[in-house]
Amino acid sequence: MDFDLGRLQRRTFLRGAAGLAVAGAAGILLPGAAHAATEPRIYSCDEWGARPPADALTTLDHPANRILIHHIASANTTDYSLAQAFQIARDTQHDHIDNNGWSDTGQHFTVSRGGYRMEGRHGSLSTVRGRTTMIQGAHCPGQNTNAIGIENEGLYTSVEPPQTQWASLVLLCAYICKQYGIPVSEIKGHRDYYNTECPGDRLYAKLPQLRTEVARAMAA
């Protein structure tokens, strides 16, 4: 299993044996790994078995300036495995292409309840790495040409995401903010720009904490 904590301070998530278990389940790399300071482990579309896009995708000639947090509104499974993460990515893509009629997965990235980070829409990972362009998304009307969408597996109307997923989301947001120069104040919820319950009352209420922890991770 690949692990990744980036430069995030260990005390944030690692508290004794329980903290170590969280780190292991999340696919988090303890400090000292060669790529830890630059990019967390993100599984590409090829790795999770994505279908080709149904239509050509658009690469925009500018960086993103915002992150939008979503939840998939899927079951709050206790299967935290990599196999489950890949399955939710495939299920989401099938739904978005076959039922919504979109060209590909609508969001740019997905975080599973087990803490695995995955590329969503094809090309999202390479453009974030490049820092100057972005793939046009399909995750929120009015925001698809400027905001990176991150889906979180689960339904967070009445429960909070598991700590492993939360820790992984912090690292992913910190990486994207660093790459694009996005201020943490621009980490928003789907409902901020669209009439929806997404990302759920409990996850939405944690966005101030998310911004604080992302800022701490970026400064570490």
Side-chain angles (χ1 to χ4, degrees):
M1 178 181 293
D2 294 285
F3 298 104
D4 194 331
L5 195 66
R7 297 173 62 191
L8 191 61
Q9 295 173 345
R10 290 187 69 197
R11 66 175 179 270
T12 303
F13 301 120
L14 305 183
R15 296 183 175 91
L20 289 171
V22 167
I28 294 175
L29 179 63
L30 298 181
H35 68 288
T38 55
E39 180 181 305
R41 179 64 165 105
I42 302 170
Y43 290 90
S44 69
C45 289
D46 286 344
E47 288 178 297
W48 58 258
R51 295 159 52 182
D55 304 291
L57 303 179
T58 300
T59 301
L60 302 168
D61 193 25
H62 59 75
N65 63 9
R66 181 171 294 130
I67 293 175
L68 288 193
I69 303 300
H70 303 257
H71 69 173
I72 294 177
S74 58
N76 289 328
T77 179
T78 56
D79 182 350
Y80 300 142
S81 68
L82 181 61
Q84 166 61 20
F86 284 8
Q87 188 61 55
I88 197 69
R90 290 190 294 267
D91 289 346
T92 300
Q93 187 191 36
H94 293 328
D95 180 52
H96 289 182
I97 293 177
D98 298 334
N99 296 327
N100 294 356
W102 297 345
S103 299
D104 197 3
T105 302
Q107 77 276 3
H108 298 88
F109 297 97
T110 303
V111 182
S112 76
R113 281 176 57 81
Y116 293 101
R117 295 170 289 264
M118 294 162 287
E119 181 180 30
R121 179 159 284 220
H122 283 78
S124 299
L125 186 53
S126 63
T127 50
V128 169
R129 286 170 174 164
R131 308 182 68 180
T132 61
T133 63
M134 67 173 288
I135 296 295
Q136 182 170 320
H139 58 97
C140 180
Q143 295 295 307
N144 291 318
T145 60
N146 66 287
I148 295 294
I150 301 177
E151 286 275 13
N152 293 275
E153 179 189 12
L155 175 66
Y156 299 116
T157 55
S158 58
V159 299
E160 294 185 356
Q163 180 61 22
T164 303
Q165 184 178 36
W166 176 260
S168 185
L169 177 62
V170 169
L171 291 174
L172 179 59
C173 288
Y175 173 65
I176 294 170
C177 284
K178 278 186 175 182
Q179 290 299 101
Y180 281 136
I182 299 173
V184 295
S185 60
E186 289 301 324
I187 300 174
K188 305 287 189 178
H190 187 186
R191 66 173 64 178
D192 289 325
Y193 297 94
Y194 193 68
N195 184 20
T196 176
E197 294 185 1
C198 183
D201 289 346
R202 297 297 291 273
L203 180 52
Y204 185 77
K206 289 175 69 71
L207 293 187
Q209 179 184 344
L210 180 61
R211 289 187 279 266
T212 296
E213 293 191 21
V214 170
R216 186 182 302 134
M218 294 173 67

